[in-house]
Each structure stands twice: as C-alpha cells, then as structure tokens.
Amino acid sequence: VAAKAVWPMVKPWLHPVTQAKFVIPGSQKELTEKLLELVAPTELPCYFGGDCRCKECSTQELRGGSLLGWEEERLREAS
C-alpha cells in the first residue's frame, strides 16, 4: 500500500527506462502472478503463492535464504 502511495511522487524523478523496470502490484493475486512469471512454483514459498516445500518454507523459519546452504557447508568444512 505504501509503495503505491509513494510511487506517483517518486516516478517523475526517475528516467523512463528506470520507471519501466518497476512493477508495483495492486493485490496479492497480481503479486503472485508476477512472481510466478519470474520464479518456478517449486522455488517460491507458499506464502507468496508457490509450492516450495523446503525445510525453511515448510516451517516458515527463514534462516538466511540462499546463503543458508553456503553457511551450512562452511560449518561442515570447519568441523
């Protein structure tokens, strides 16, 4: 909601090419549709409309996103 309210004030300050890069969805449905265009449903958390069933998404206990795998590998190598 805040982004939609602020966008008309910010937009004139940006170059038209930059403006075209922004997508501000008006609803949860629009957000989900746009995300599914960019990300496979199996990689998108269920709370964004995807089907990801990884441990973090299933428990909704996010612990670092894509860096988590690197962190775990680093810890395994250190021990």
Side-chain angles (χ1 to χ4, degrees):
V1 175
K4 256 195 167 343
V6 173
W7 180 243
M9 293 181 281
V10 174
K11 186 177 177 180
W13 294 85
L14 301 174
H15 189 280
V17 173
T18 304
Q19 292 175 15
K21 295 177 184 181
F22 281 83
V23 175
I24 302 176
S27 67
Q28 181 66 36
K29 182 181 178 185
E30 287 179 29
L31 173 63
T32 299
E33 288 172 358
K34 186 61 179 174
L35 287 172
L36 290 173
E37 288 176 20
L38 303 169
V39 181
T42 56
E43 300 295 322
L44 191 63
C46 59
Y47 45 87
F48 285 128
D51 297 323
C52 183
R53 298 292 179 237
C54 72
K55 182 180 176 183
E56 287 187 18
C57 290
S58 298
T59 61
Q60 294 188 0
E61 294 178 13
L62 303 179
R63 296 183 14 204
S66 62
L67 297 178
L68 180 63
W70 292 355
E71 179 183 332
E72 289 174 342
E73 183 178 332
R74 185 180 57 81
L75 292 174
R76 279 193 302 272
E77 289 173 356
S79 55

